[in-house]
Amino acid sequence: MYGYETYEDDWSRQQNQLLRQLEKAINGEYSAIQCYEKLAQLAPDEKQRKQIIEIREDEVKHFQSFAQIYTSLTGVQPQPKVTEPCPESYKAGLEFAIRDEQETVDFYLEVADGAADRSIRKAFRRAAADEQNHAVWFLYFLVGLKGG
């Protein structure tokens, strides 16, 4: 009997890990929402501003999705917080956003791969696909700044 974990212990550890991952995702989305609002204001033209606002709207959807999952698992609303400040300049903000989006893709795919619940896997995979798309847009804007 010693040295063996029960099913309940394993399940509890997986749930706790999922809740920590959800908290990280919620805080990341919340931080991105705040940052992309700032980036949109710093954008050099209307086309870029509109695209960043569209990206921000995706982040709001991800935030809401993850918050709903968190609430359904815990019975309480998450208390999001900004975990990383947004850079002050547009160029630095784009560089930050590219790196953050790429890291987030990897994190979300890892969460999806470890989730037992199909709807949670689907939510994280969808968000990962969106984050990859966001990274491409931010890279496009950064290349335009450097080339122009």
Side-chain angles (χ1 to χ4, degrees):
M1 185 175 276
Y2 293 100
Y4 294 97
E5 296 181 32
T6 65
Y7 172 79
E8 291 82 13
D9 290 340
D10 189 46
W11 183 85
S12 178
R13 187 171 42 258
Q14 288 175 354
Q15 285 298 102
N16 288 336
Q17 179 182 3
L18 177 59
L19 291 176
R20 284 191 305 274
Q21 291 170 323
L22 278 165
E23 288 170 351
K24 180 179 176 179
I26 288 165
N27 288 335
E29 295 296 339
Y30 184 76
S31 298
I33 291 164
Q34 309 308 311
C35 187
Y36 299 167
E37 177 71 26
K38 183 177 184 176
L39 272 184
Q41 293 171 6
L42 295 171
D45 60 52
E46 187 64 15
K47 181 181 177 194
Q48 289 184 46
R49 189 184 74 73
K50 282 184 177 182
Q51 185 60 51
I52 293 169
I53 288 170
E54 185 177 309
I55 290 169
R56 184 183 178 277
E57 290 169 2
D58 285 347
E59 304 295 7
V60 169
K61 290 175 190 169
H62 301 159
F63 173 83
Q64 292 169 340
S65 174
F66 297 153
Q68 180 181 15
I69 293 167
Y70 182 89
T71 302
S72 72
L73 293 173
T74 65
V76 297
Q77 293 285 327
Q79 301 297 312
K81 59 183 180 241
V82 174
T83 53
E84 290 187 74
C86 189
E88 294 298 319
S89 76
Y90 187 62
K91 180 178 180 262
L94 291 176
E95 291 169 341
F96 171 82
I98 293 165
R99 192 169 41 258
D100 183 64
E101 296 285 334
Q102 285 299 119
E103 290 170 1
T104 300
V105 170
D106 292 339
F107 173 63
Y108 286 178
L109 290 174
E110 178 184 313
V111 175
D113 288 346
D117 184 275
R118 195 173 136 250
S119 63
I120 294 173
R121 282 195 309 270
K122 183 178 176 184
F124 274 93
R125 285 195 179 118
R126 175 63 209 187
D130 288 345
E131 302 295 327
Q132 186 66 60
N133 186 42
H134 299 163
V136 171
W137 274 110
F138 288 131
L139 180 59
Y140 174 73
F141 296 150
L142 183 62
V143 168
L145 279 180
K146 292 184 176 189

